[in-house]
Amino acid sequence: MKQSVLQTEYRTLEFLLWCISNQVNDNKGLFYAKLLEMYHSNDMQCYTNPIESPRNYLRVLSGKSESFFLKQPKKLDLNLTIVNEAKIYTVFESLEEIKRFLPQMVSFFSEFNVIVTKYYPIENLYQAFSRKEKPNAPIGYRENIAFSIGKTLSLIHETLSSHVTRHEFNYRFPNNIPRVTISKLISDDHFFDSINNKNSLDYSLVEFSNFNNPTLKNLILEFSKLWNNDDFIHFDLATRNMIYWEDKVIFLDWEMCGWGDRIWDVVCCLNSILDTIYIDSSLIVNADVNTSSPKYTQAINMIYQFLIGYFGEKELTIHLAKIEVYWMIYYLKVIVQSESYFSKVSQTLNCFLPKNEPIC
């Protein structure tokens, strides 16, 4: 029962009272000391963060001019194996060069599976970007943040990939698309074997009538050849998982982190910027891109600044073809449904990727 401690108000209270009454050990003493001060004050509060999904079981604890997040990490399986978020915080603590861009953990309580982190009283970037330009914001405010996202993400990728040990974290296939085993699609012969023996696939594709389409097949094969597991990445990057605090971007929600391809994180960021500024992802097959729209200009400028921040101008052109393939794969669940959907998504995404020739 303790494993669902933050799921109800009663369990949250049980956790807080347990912390107070047990006088937790030294490595959790900072949180205990602050909690005790709050407990003896008249302004202690614990409430659900209104901007977060209830699935995260995220609470805010405040009092005595201090605030914390209490978060319940997700589980991988029925054996209640904690996903990577609890482990990654121990890595963060040893990396001074990137700690300022990541959540600061105060304590992890394995007894209750509760992570306590520093509270950042600021809206996430999805909320900030989806509003009209702030009245007092300087020109290029959003573009500057997009550049910061790219530059910071590049630093985090480089640092984590060289410091994280491979045995501690899983290799993950992109987590939001059909889980077709890449190795089973590496050759044409094996591809058709998989088509004829759908039970051998990790994800059933029986429902997709367009799976035999040559264009789609070539896209999946190209993706399978490009994908690598050489980078340590976030795997769930979106503007809802970022905040802008004291002129820096902070990346939140590291539950899905693991070994993969850094271009997947790049594409997740690109899509989130597009989704927030211009096109709802769920409506992409019905979207008509208006290149004279101010929102279009805003979106392509932010995307370009993000890419320049991540790659730099000289390196960007080298990676554009791979980005295009990965971005299409991001929409695999959509593009497998019909040839027209494939063409529509491809046309739309190409309107937002920088090219040497005029866009669209």
Side-chain angles (χ1 to χ4, degrees):
M1 294 297 289
K2 288 182 178 180
Q3 294 298 333
S4 60
V5 61
L6 299 184
Q7 193 169 4
T8 66
E9 299 292 342
Y10 173 80
R11 290 292 172 189
T12 304
L13 179 61
E14 178 189 6
F15 164 67
L16 294 174
L17 290 175
W18 178 85
C19 291
I20 293 170
S21 61
N22 281 274
Q23 299 188 24
V24 293
N25 56 36
D26 289 342
N27 69 319
K28 298 167 185 173
L30 172 63
F31 177 65
Y32 168 72
K34 298 296 183 182
L35 180 60
L36 199 60
E37 289 181 15
M38 293 178 184
Y39 179 68
H40 290 295
S41 71
N42 295 321
D43 62 347
M44 180 176 177
Q45 298 182 66
C46 189
Y47 55 91
T48 302
N49 183 7
I51 66 171
E52 293 291 336
S53 167
R55 68 178 176 80
N56 289 324
Y57 307 139
L58 190 68
R59 309 254 191 238
V60 177
L61 177 68
S62 66
K64 295 292 287 186
S65 301
E66 295 282 350
S67 294
F68 301 97
F69 276 134
L70 310 181
K71 185 175 183 183
Q72 193 94 61
K74 300 183 186 73
K75 301 295 193 302
L76 280 175
D77 50 42
L78 295 178
N79 294 323
L80 301 180
T81 303
I82 298 174
V83 292
N84 290 330
E85 190 167 27
K87 292 187 284 184
I88 194 63
Y89 278 105
T90 61
V91 177
F92 292 165
E93 287 302 307
S94 65
L95 302 176
E96 292 295 331
E97 61 267 50
I98 65 167
K99 278 173 64 174
R100 61 191 296 263
F101 305 114
L102 304 163
Q104 294 182 23
M105 185 173 75
V106 177
S107 299
F108 173 61
F109 294 88
S110 57
E111 303 89 343
F112 286 86
N113 182 31
V114 172
I115 289 177
V116 181
T117 64
K118 178 181 176 181
Y119 173 71
Y120 299 94
I122 193 96
E123 63 188 358
N124 62 39
L125 284 182
Y126 179 85
Q127 296 171 303
F129 285 164
S130 59
R131 294 178 179 175
K132 293 181 179 180
E133 194 75 60
K134 297 183 179 182
N136 299 321
I139 297 173
Y141 169 76
R142 290 178 176 176
E143 289 84 351
N144 289 339
I145 296 178
F147 181 87
S148 295
I149 293 171
K151 195 169 185 63
T152 305
L153 181 61
S154 178
L155 171 64
I156 289 174
H157 280 161
E158 289 293 334
T159 307
L160 288 181
S161 296
S162 60
H163 284 82
V164 174
T165 55
R166 288 182 177 266
H167 69 275
E168 289 182 306
F169 294 88
N170 297 327
Y171 294 91
R172 296 186 182 278
F173 191 74
N175 63 294
N176 63 335
I177 63 174
R179 296 175 182 271
V180 182
T181 302
I182 295 175
S183 61
K184 293 177 180 176
L185 300 180
I186 202 64
S187 69
D188 285 2
D189 291 341
H190 223 150
F191 183 90
F192 287 112
D193 287 344
S194 297
I195 297 297
N196 296 326
N197 301 283
K198 294 184 175 65
N199 289 334
S200 68
L201 292 174
D202 289 349
Y203 187 97
S204 174
L205 295 168
V206 177
E207 65 192 278
F208 299 135
S209 60
N210 193 42
F211 194 63
N212 279 307
N213 180 278
T215 307
L216 176 61
K217 186 197 79 167
N218 289 335
L219 176 73
I220 296 175
L221 288 173
E222 181 67 15
F223 174 69
S224 72
K225 294 172 185 175
L226 291 172
W227 181 264
N228 69 72
N229 285 312
D230 296 335
D231 308 310
F232 192 85
I233 66 175
H234 186 286
F235 267 109
D236 189 25
L237 277 184
T239 49
R240 68 178 184 278
N241 287 333
M242 307 173 200
I243 59 174
Y244 197 59
W245 173 253
E246 296 179 344
D247 297 323
K248 62 180 181 288
V249 179
I250 296 176
F251 294 96
L252 308 174
D253 201 7
W254 286 79
E255 290 174 324
M256 294 303 298
C257 65
W259 290 96
D261 192 320
R262 66 181 64 194
I263 300 299
W264 189 255
D265 270 1
V266 169
V267 164
C268 287
C269 284
L270 288 177
N271 198 75
S272 191
I273 291 172
L274 183 64
D275 189 43
T276 307
I277 301 298
Y278 193 84
I279 299 172
D280 188 317
S281 293
S282 63
L283 305 175
I284 193 166
V285 294
N286 299 314
D288 292 319
V289 178
N290 178 6
T291 57
S292 62
S293 164
K295 285 187 176 182
Y296 172 78
T297 303
Q298 179 85 81
I300 61 170
N301 286 344
M302 289 178 66
I303 285 172
Y304 182 72
Q305 288 301 317
F306 164 74
L307 290 171
I308 293 299
Y310 188 91
F311 295 106
E313 291 192 43
K314 293 182 179 179
E315 292 292 321
L316 175 57
T317 54
I318 300 173
H319 300 279
L320 281 175
K322 186 174 182 178
I323 290 170
E324 187 172 356
V325 171
Y326 279 42
W327 207 350
M328 284 294 289
I329 288 292
Y330 187 95
Y331 282 97
L332 184 60
K333 289 181 180 179
V334 174
I335 64 178
V336 293
Q337 297 180 47
S338 75
E339 180 66 27
S340 63
Y341 283 5
F342 187 106
S343 300
K344 179 63 177 177
V345 172
S346 178
Q347 180 183 15
T348 299
L349 296 182
N350 271 284
C351 286
F352 292 91
L353 282 174
K355 293 178 175 62
N356 294 325
E357 66 271 13
I359 299 175
C360 289

